Amino acid sequence: MIHLPNDDNTCGWYQALPQTPVKPQLNGEVSTDYVVLGAGFAGLAMARRLAEHSPYARILLIDAQRIGQGASGRNSGFVIDLPHKFALEHPNPEHKQKLLSLNRSAISQLSKLVKQYSIDCQWSAVGKYQGAVGSRGEAYLDHFEHLMKDLGEPFEHVDGAELAKVLGTNYYSRAIYTPGGYLMQPAALVRGLGESLPENIEVFENSPIRRLYKENGHWVLQGDHGVVKTPELLLGTSIFTREFGYLKNRLLPVMTFASWTRPLTDEEMQRYGGQLNWGLTPADHAGTTLRMTADRRILIRNTYKHVPKYGASVSDRVKQQIQNDHRQVFLARYPELEDVPFTHTWGGVYAISRNFTNFFGQLDDGVYASACDNGVGAAWGTISGTLLADLVAGEYSSALKDIQQVTGMPSLNPPEPLLGMGVKSRIQLAKWQSRSEL
């Protein structure tokens, strides 16, 4: 029995979208040339690229939920060009340049698709701020500045007064602005990518796969109402890759949480006094991510949980406590908006590894995966999914060589219960250390 995604219906990004017809469910017995499992950023990119390479092949894209309901539609809406904060610490400058090039290739690819298919997802090239609240955050900003100089990337200092004009709050002491990041509505982007796939891709939603096994040289995927046989299987399943027997004891399931308001009224916008459509990530990685969306919603994201049972690990009581914590963070920044309610609080599960290494490549005969995005899935999922399809098709490039050089095998985790105890303690320690930046 495979443990399936267990996402609730409280994701604000997804609930804000208009309803669309449901794609068919997997039914009966099907044979196909390729199966892509998982319709997030990685799976969508895999399927699209396979179809470009093999326009007459039959390609099935299967998701356990509706497209946009999973982790790819639950993030904070950043598509970041820079390497992740931990990757920026890598001692090899060439390694970091390759990550930067891969991320920017993903942004270019997504930009072209958004324009080509008129995907209405608030796609905007506005960069991002990295903000500090106090001395701890400012020390991290100083270090970030040093890393940016070593990388040769442009950035701007933004003092507290100037930052307040953008954010509508004087809560932050200063920030560093980097121009290369994009903002978007993630569920809208994922859905739009799913609606614009090539014609030889068949999409099945609400079609969980319960069992995977090999028979007569083909992989057999068994669902609730159907069975698929294929010689080539591409997994865009992130943390759920371990449910199929691969990368077991190497991936850590972590959920991070967000809350947002309803759209502010004209009068509330006057009280707010800041700009629209910006994003701020914390200088201290355990701090708070803050967004003002293009449609006037303020989003707060922080709080991390180890979720060995995915969504089922988080009770209603815990969700309410998280929303209460988010409310305090919101009021600390915007006390003049205390009458503006939160409408949604949600979490999204993703995979991290102890050695902060992404997996990319072949797992078994005819089985390939890009797994473990370490929390930066929009750009990484897009480019890794694209290049994985290139690998399967035998289309080699400098970008494929680069991604093979910057990825590897996630390290083994200690056994339970030591793993759960260790992760929980690490998260609690980070929360305590970063309390001044929340």
Side-chain angles (χ1 to χ4, degrees), residues 342-361:
F342 285 157
T343 58
H344 299 85
T345 297
W346 67 93
V349 63
Y350 61 94
I352 63 173
S353 59
R354 292 174 62 239
N355 60 348
F356 204 74
T357 296
N358 312 85
F359 179 84
F360 173 92

Side-chain angles (χ1 to χ4, degrees), residues 19 31 52 55 78 121 143 156 158 189 191 195 236 239 252 266 283 338-339 362 383 419 424:
Q19 293 187 356
S31 293
E52 291 171 356
F78 292 86
C121 64
H143 183 55
E156 298 175 17
V158 186
L189 176 55
R191 179 187 283 183
E195 293 291 341
I239 185 61
L252 290 168
D266 289 346
E338 62 180 348
D339 56 330
Q362 188 166 2
I383 192 60
L419 175 63
K424 184 176 180 180

Side-chain angles (χ1 to χ4, degrees), residues 96-252:
K96 291 185 281 191
Q97 289 293 344
K98 288 175 180 177
L99 289 172
L100 183 64
S101 176
L102 290 166
N103 288 342
R104 286 182 171 159
S105 178
I107 290 175
S108 176
Q109 180 177 328
L110 288 170
S111 295
K112 291 176 182 177
L113 291 170
V114 167
K115 182 177 181 180
Q116 180 179 355
Y117 295 105
S118 301
I119 299 175
D120 183 10
C121 64
Q122 302 176 26
W123 183 259
S124 49
V126 295
K128 79 174 184 72
Y129 297 89
Q130 189 166 132
V133 176
S135 58
R136 178 180 172 86
E138 290 191 9
Y140 276 103
L141 274 190
D142 291 340
H143 183 55
F144 180 64
E145 177 180 344
H146 172 73
L147 294 172
M148 293 297 290
K149 287 179 178 177
D150 284 348
L151 196 59
E153 284 297 305
F155 64 91
E156 298 175 17
H157 294 280
V158 186
D159 64 25
E162 193 66 25
L163 189 61
K165 295 177 182 177
V166 177
L167 308 185
T169 176
N170 58 11
Y171 190 78
Y172 292 88
S173 59
R174 62 185 176 94
I176 287 178
Y177 171 80
T178 51
Y182 279 61
L183 296 178
M184 47 81 179
Q185 208 279 34
L189 176 55
V190 174
R191 179 187 283 183
L193 294 171
E195 293 291 341
S196 60
L197 292 168
E199 292 183 356
N200 60 323
I201 299 172
E202 300 172 62
V203 178
F204 295 96
E205 294 183 320
N206 297 324
S207 300
I209 298 301
R210 304 281 184 177
R211 186 182 175 207
L212 172 67
Y213 59 95
K214 199 165 191 180
E215 181 179 84
N216 299 325
H218 280 66
W219 290 98
V220 182
L221 294 83
Q222 184 174 315
D224 290 338
H225 307 290
V227 174
V228 181
K229 294 182 179 180
T230 183
E232 305 279 4
L233 172 63
L234 286 74
L235 298 176
T237 43
S238 186
I239 185 61
F240 300 99
T241 305
R242 65 184 194 161
E243 298 296 336
F244 298 98
Y246 299 109
L247 304 177
K248 289 185 72 68
N249 304 317
R250 295 183 183 274
L251 306 180
L252 290 168

